[in-house]
Amino acid sequence: MTTHTDVTTPPASAEYAPERPARLEWAKHAPEVYKAMVRLETAARKGLDHTLYELVKIRASQINHCAFCIDMHTKDALAAGESVERIVQLSAWDESRHFYTAKEIAALELTEAVTVLTDGFVPDEVYDNAAKHFDEAELAQVIAAITVINAWNRFGVTCRMAPGHYEPGQYK
């Protein structure tokens, strides 16, 4: 007979890899840049739906492999009432469209296009779809939010910021 175990609590015998230390506490050594990023973050989030904002931040962070930001924005989204199911499905949102609104899908498409610029541009159909769901001011804010999280991701990944220690709302 099999018994259910809590998947959030590792077995006592589990031996996990050690946490890698951060390479650089960049905010400590470049405090003016950090303060400017916080101001930019505050400006980018103005007027955006909080749920959409967090989905965009999580998705860009997944693409960029920024474990610190995935940890942070997943926790913030959950604390704000986002469902576990929608967060879990986010990495495969295109196959799980029924979990998201048309507006959220447009934002996720735009997030991927802006985050992964391997073709050197954002496709017209992606931009046009986003423009159908957002007025120009809101679209500008969505683009700003995507741009800002990509900048944060680059600091997090480059400096190897460790996930797992963030508490929801810690930096607000």
Side-chain angles (χ1 to χ4, degrees):
M1 173 184 237
T2 323
T3 58
H4 173 73
T5 10
D6 180 357
V7 293
T8 60
T9 307
S13 62
E15 191 171 324
Y16 292 94
E19 182 176 299
R20 297 186 324 175
R23 288 180 173 149
L24 176 71
E25 292 181 53
W26 76 270
K28 175 180 163 186
H29 298 290
E32 293 306 312
V33 174
Y34 177 78
K35 289 176 196 171
M37 285 293 298
V38 170
R39 288 191 304 273
L40 189 58
E41 173 82 28
T42 301
R45 97 171 45 148
K46 283 195 193 260
L48 287 181
D49 173 74
H50 184 71
T51 298
L52 184 131
Y53 180 73
E54 291 298 340
L55 291 175
V56 162
K57 292 173 84 75
I58 295 166
R59 185 63 192 128
S61 299
Q62 289 172 335
I63 294 166
N64 290 322
H65 301 273
C66 185
F68 181 85
C69 291
I70 293 169
D71 179 56
M72 175 190 295
H73 297 295
T74 298
K75 288 175 179 175
D76 282 346
L78 289 168
E82 182 57 82
S83 74
V84 170
E85 191 168 43
R86 281 173 32 106
I87 292 172
V88 167
Q89 291 301 316
L90 194 54
S91 64
W93 68 266
D94 199 25
E95 292 81 21
S96 306
R97 288 174 173 252
H98 60 284
F99 286 100
Y100 308 99
T101 67
K103 191 172 188 174
E104 289 168 340
I105 289 169
L108 293 171
E109 288 173 340
L110 187 61
T111 299
E112 291 194 2
V114 171
T115 300
V116 183
L117 290 172
T118 54
D119 291 332
F121 59 91
V122 172
D124 288 340
E125 57 274 5
V126 171
Y127 185 88
D128 293 344
N129 187 41
K132 285 184 214 170
H133 294 282
F134 298 95
D135 65 33
E136 287 185 343
E138 194 176 22
L139 183 56
Q141 290 300 125
V142 171
I143 294 167
I146 295 166
T147 301
V148 172
I149 189 57
N150 273 278
W152 283 119
N153 290 165
R154 273 116 182 105
F155 284 115
V157 170
T158 303
C159 297
R160 195 186 289 144
M161 296 173 67
H165 304 288
Y166 178 78
E167 296 294 327
Q170 180 177 336
Y171 296 123
K172 291 182 181 183

